Amino acid sequence: GDSVTQTEGPVTVSESESLIINCTYSATSIAYPNLFWYVRYPGEGLQLLLKVITAGQKGSSRGFEATYNKETTSFHLQKASVQESDSAVYYCALGDRGSNAKLTFGKGTKLSVKS
Amino acid sequence: NSKVIQTPRYLVKGQGQKAKMRCIPEKGHPVVFWYQQNKNNEFKFLINFQNQEVLQQIDMTEKRFSAECPSNSPCSLEIQSSEAGDSALYLCASSLRLGSYAEQFFGPGTRLTVL
């Protein structure tokens, strides 16, 4: 089946440092999956951070970026300078392009940013 | 911010008991998903609907789980005879259209504990 593997947490970084959370996927039943990063802030529900539906393209939001790399089947999340408010759990996910719209999630990476 | 409402937020049941949880999707969203996130943070897709029609469901759902999205009423997910392994966070998500490129908006979840 399809699967997503991401950096095991927890990850702790200091404010203004750079961040990378690795995500690789295996899409055995989907030729060209759509790729997503979702985030869960403390006390809140899952929300979409960014998505990319075309291989080779980059998505960005709130200072975060991720590039859809079909060759390495990766979709790493990066930020040049993190803030304390970025502390959250980040989930990488893939979805089918077809009518089967379910998402396959990774296990999440808990990020703590120290001030 | 998501406006998907899930009730109750916490549910405690004994083994063999019924467990029922409800979801009100965002207004105007005809597509509804249920996911299970277990204590290992693994997500599992359970079932999805478009309006009142079931689109896809996994085998586990077909045996002890039942779900519906009646017109003009909240969607619901019910476990007929709860087992310890059903203890998890149950997430409801809604979407404006079918297709994984369409953003799924998640509720806060119902945390089920089966004693």
Side-chain angles (χ1 to χ4, degrees):
Chain A
D2 305 323
S3 65
V4 174
T5 304
Q6 58 182 104
T7 300
E8 280 195 32
V11 171
T12 302
V13 297
S14 297
E15 210 164 22
S16 77
E17 285 189 346
S18 64
L19 169 74
I20 181 165
I21 299 176
N22 291 326
C23 171
T24 56
Y25 66 89
S26 172
T28 55
S29 63
I30 310 168
Y32 299 101
N34 297 325
L35 299 177
F36 306 82
W37 278 99
Y38 277 80
V39 59
R40 180 184 276 149
Y41 295 103
E44 298 184 18
L46 267 178
Q47 55 185 275
L48 180 66
L49 179 60
L50 57 87
K51 68 179 180 184
V52 179
I53 64 173
T54 305
Q57 297 294 311
K58 179 167 69 177
S60 59
S61 174
R62 307 179 208 175
F64 288 89
E65 297 181 337
T67 300
Y68 186 158
N69 190 320
K70 185 168 173 289
E71 285 68 37
T72 59
T73 62
S74 66
F75 191 54
H76 307 319
L77 183 68
Q78 301 183 71
K79 189 171 186 182
S81 176
V82 297
Q83 302 170 339
E84 202 171 349
S85 57
D86 294 326
S87 296
V89 183
Y90 293 82
Y91 295 90
C92 185
L94 66 83
D96 196 344
R97 289 179 179 273
S99 60
N100 178 3
K102 70 179 176 73
L103 297 174
T104 299
F105 286 89
K107 290 187 179 183
T109 302
K110 183 174 182 179
L111 170 67
S112 295
V113 179
K114 301 184 301 185
S115 58
Chain B
N1 285 336
S2 173
K3 297 178 180 61
V4 176
I5 299 170
Q6 288 190 250
T7 56
R9 292 292 306 275
Y10 301 92
L11 193 54
V12 181
K13 294 290 178 183
Q15 294 199 46
Q17 290 186 320
K18 283 186 184 180
K20 187 169 185 174
M21 54 203 85
R22 292 175 175 82
C23 169
I24 300 176
E26 284 216 23
K27 191 174 181 180
H29 284 194
V31 184
V32 173
F33 303 80
W34 286 98
Y35 295 90
Q36 179 197 64
Q37 185 180 17
N38 67 20
K39 63 180 180 180
N40 295 321
N41 289 324
E42 296 162 328
F43 283 78
K44 182 180 291 183
F45 164 81
L46 297 177
I47 191 168
N48 61 351
F49 294 83
Q50 185 168 28
N51 296 312
Q52 293 80 51
E53 182 183 344
V54 174
L55 298 175
Q56 187 184 26
Q57 59 185 340
I58 65 168
D59 287 346
M60 180 183 81
T61 313
E62 290 170 359
K63 289 174 183 171
R64 291 186 300 111
F65 288 58
S66 61
E68 60 177 3
C69 274
S71 177
N72 298 318
S73 292
C75 298
S76 64
L77 176 69
E78 185 172 53
I79 306 172
Q80 301 302 320
S81 178
S82 301
E83 299 175 356
D86 298 329
S87 295
L89 181 67
Y90 289 84
L91 294 166
C92 176
S94 71
S95 182
L96 198 51
R97 60 183 68 86
L98 205 56
S100 69
Y101 55 86
E103 182 175 352
Q104 293 185 24
F105 294 82
F106 285 81
T110 293
R111 186 166 295 282
L112 171 66
T113 302
V114 181
L115 302 175

